[in-house]
Amino acid sequence: MEKFKQMTAIAAPMPLINIDTDMIIPKQFLKTIKRSGLGVSAFHEMRYQMDGTENPDFVLNQDAYRNANILVAGDNFGCGSSREHAPWALLDFGVRCVISTSFADIFYNNCFKNGILPVIVTDKELNVLMQDAEKGSNARMVIDLESQLIETSDGKVINFNVDQHRKHCLINGLDDIGLTMEKAASIDMFEKHMATNAPWV
Amino acid sequence: MAPKTLYDKIWDAHVAHQGDDGTCLLYIDRHLVHEVTSPQAFEGLRMSGRKVRAPEKTIAVPDHNVPTTLDRLKGIDNEESRIQVEALDRNAREFGVVYYPVDDIRQGIVHIIGPEQGWTLPGMTIVCGDSHTATHGAFGALAHGIGTSEVEHVLATQTLIQKKSKNMRVEITGKLSEGVTAKDITLAVIGETGTAGGTGYVIEYCGEAIRNLSMEGRMTICNMAIEGGARAGLIAPDEITFNYCEGRPNAPTGKLWNEAVRYWRTLFSDDRAHFDKTITLQGENIAPVVTWGTSPEDVLPITATVPAANDFKGGKVNAAQRSLDYMGLTPGTRLQDVEIDAVFIGSCTNGRIEDLRAAAEIVKGKKVQDGLIAMVVPGSGLVRLQAEEEGLAEIFKQAGFEWRLAGCSMCLGMNPDQLGPQVRCASTSNRNFEGRQGRGSRTHLMSPAMAAAAAVTGKLTDVRELM
């Protein structure tokens, strides 16, 4: 997993609430057995018209936002299906940070496993960030995970909370499985305990 | 000892390791696996030379991509779908996990066959790379969806890194009116809480109306806990639960069974246990409902009219307008006047035998309206077999429904069962998102009886008028 410390990047505004993972990556792209190559299909139905050409109204098709690495989105981002293809598609497109007032639980977890930082802010803060994102490509936002702050293009600073274990893994690009395997003795012991106490499991 | 909720009890019984910051390694009793969210996880194991830690607790089945037409054993036409199912075949055999291949009568939707085969039991922790894993909470098991990275983590370690969620209690009091089912309850709850209302919580459903539900109905309730944003839904096990589990192929027997039941009887929320949030709905006040928009929270009684965007507040105004445009609906239209083009009865929400019985009762002796696409897709090969033995299949076929083989089918259309643009569907599935059943298609969620009624009349219908 790629490390995440600090980034200065273009943020794309997506003010819609309840952006679900079917919207982020529709079903026909879930048939892959790889993690890569999904960026071109991210937000497929909003991004492309029926004939396959780009929909000029969609934010990521506008020149200012083609290279956006941050999304500023409406409430309950990533709801619905557990598909990790959603963060894979965002990552492949180049998105490393999503900011919203809330995230669906599974999507939120999935982001951290893929080097994407999901940031939860208040309604008021989201308005400030949405307005900043709407300024286009001349406006760059700073995301600083180590200091847990966002800085808008005009210097407003917004602090955010993040779970310290997840922050540590993201900053150091750590693989969860390796960390858990170091605790194999605890898992062995738990299994022995269960074999005695709940042998029907 | 401090009083505990059901969730607290299951959680405490599964913590294999706790870190200083409260992060836990939660032991996983059952890991269900399907072909869509697992190939990258097995590949990850292979790349790092890891094994599946507990293959006997890992159960795999192909369900999302499989065709449901009767000729499916000839093979899958779509190359990508075929490769994905073949990858699961290969991975299941190479890593030695329990496997129900497509030609096995026990094959079906993963959340239908887990309970059916007795893999799902009270008090367990159950995960699957699929958000509708919440279904298994109906047994008083802590069950939730995970991403593919977590699938790999569970395969390798049989644990999950977790922090505890908050407790929410959803009580449905009293008795349900005629024509009102578990699907109406679960949709009504989401209508009340919104799709983000459950975020950060595990919901325990309780109250007389829940107690009176069969296991099938309880599974429908918990299945859609995820649509309310909750990590999981739970219902405390009782005699109805034990009766369902007893004699299932992988349930304990004899002395072990008695020992298990003794423990399962302790699985309930203690008096005065702390819930962070409580919601109460009166069962008598719940009507048969349908969704009008593109979020499962867009729920209305069938007797209502299509709302206007301005009826809502904040970000929902724009979202509602977008939904109305997508769904092709005009505010003020009576929902019962909305004509449909298709009916889908099936899915992990409503593909069990009781669902098929409820639908068959409505269509018996009647005909599906001319020109409608209408299909019934049983949730498993065994549900299909039972429905044939009970004469339900014949009722559906006589009425003009297609009678299909088991799979996820048109709930999400990863197989060929998809709808075209602007095709309007009365569906017993769980999501009415844009494009869910096919690009541009329009989904109205409802109960099996309501979908059956819509098939007969050709429009959204109050099932009570056909009873």
Side-chain angles (χ1 to χ4, degrees), chain A residues 1-194:
Chain A
M1 188 172 80
E2 205 178 322
K3 295 175 184 178
F4 189 118
K5 283 184 178 153
Q6 201 203 57
M7 69 190 287
T8 303
I10 300 165
M14 299 187 81
L16 191 63
I17 62 167
N18 295 336
I19 293 180
D20 58 69
T21 54
D22 274 80
M23 276 185 187
I24 298 170
I25 188 80
K27 60 183 135 290
Q28 62 269 34
F29 305 108
L30 309 188
K31 297 181 183 184
T32 178
I33 55 171
K34 296 185 298 186
R35 283 179 160 93
S36 55
L38 290 167
V40 67
S41 309
F43 299 105
H44 191 266
E45 289 179 12
M46 294 198 270
R47 193 163 152 204
Y48 303 104
Q49 321 209 50
M50 281 290 190
D51 64 5
T53 58
E54 284 187 357
N55 171 8
D57 295 335
F58 183 63
V59 62
L60 298 178
N61 288 336
Q62 292 161 11
D63 285 340
Y65 298 109
R66 281 185 193 278
N67 298 314
N69 302 114
I70 302 166
L71 299 182
V72 182
D75 193 51
N76 198 26
F77 189 87
C79 58
S81 159
S82 63
R83 58 189 70 169
E84 197 161 318
H85 308 69
W88 294 339
L90 294 179
L91 188 67
D92 200 50
F93 180 89
V95 172
R96 294 294 309 278
C97 175
V98 186
I99 303 169
S100 178
T101 42
S102 78
F103 291 89
D105 187 41
I106 304 175
F107 176 84
Y108 186 77
N109 283 332
N110 284 343
C111 281
F112 285 101
K113 313 282 180 192
N114 290 282
I116 297 176
L117 174 67
V119 179
I120 300 171
V121 296
T122 64
D123 284 330
K124 251 189 200 156
E125 290 165 345
L126 190 77
N127 284 340
V128 170
L129 295 169
M130 197 67 79
Q131 279 171 19
D132 197 49
E134 279 162 1
K135 290 177 186 164
S137 58
N138 291 326
R140 306 282 165 128
M141 233 177 245
V142 179
I143 312 286
D144 186 338
L145 176 56
E146 281 178 320
S147 319
Q148 295 181 209
L149 63 84
I150 305 170
E151 192 180 334
T152 63
S153 61
D154 51 6
K156 289 194 196 85
V157 172
I158 291 169
N159 295 298
F160 61 85
N161 287 322
V162 61
D163 177 271
Q164 293 306 302
H165 171 75
R166 287 173 153 154
K167 175 179 173 178
H168 175 74
C169 288
L170 211 47
I171 285 179
N172 298 294
L174 294 178
D175 164 23
D176 276 344
I177 298 178
L179 290 177
T180 298
M181 287 200 138
E182 290 171 12
K183 299 178 186 118
S186 299
I187 304 173
D188 289 341
M189 235 161 66
F190 183 85
E191 280 181 339
K192 276 197 195 113
H193 162 82
M194 284 297 272

Side-chain angles (χ1 to χ4, degrees), chain B residues 9-39:
Chain B
K9 289 179 183 178
I10 303 174
W11 174 276
D12 291 348
H14 287 86
V15 175
H17 181 273
Q18 182 155 2
D20 298 335
D21 64 344
T23 303
C24 291
L25 271 187
L26 202 66
Y27 191 81
I28 301 303
D29 295 322
R30 295 286 180 265
H31 185 191
L32 309 176
V33 173
H34 67 66
E35 79 278 17
V36 180
T37 55
S38 66

Side-chain angles (χ1 to χ4, degrees), chain B residues 42-58:
Chain B
F42 282 113
E43 185 60 17
L45 291 187
R46 214 174 270 124
M47 304 269 280
S48 47
R50 289 171 176 147
K51 288 182 181 159
V52 174
R53 182 180 170 103
E56 74 286 0
K57 297 175 181 173
T58 310

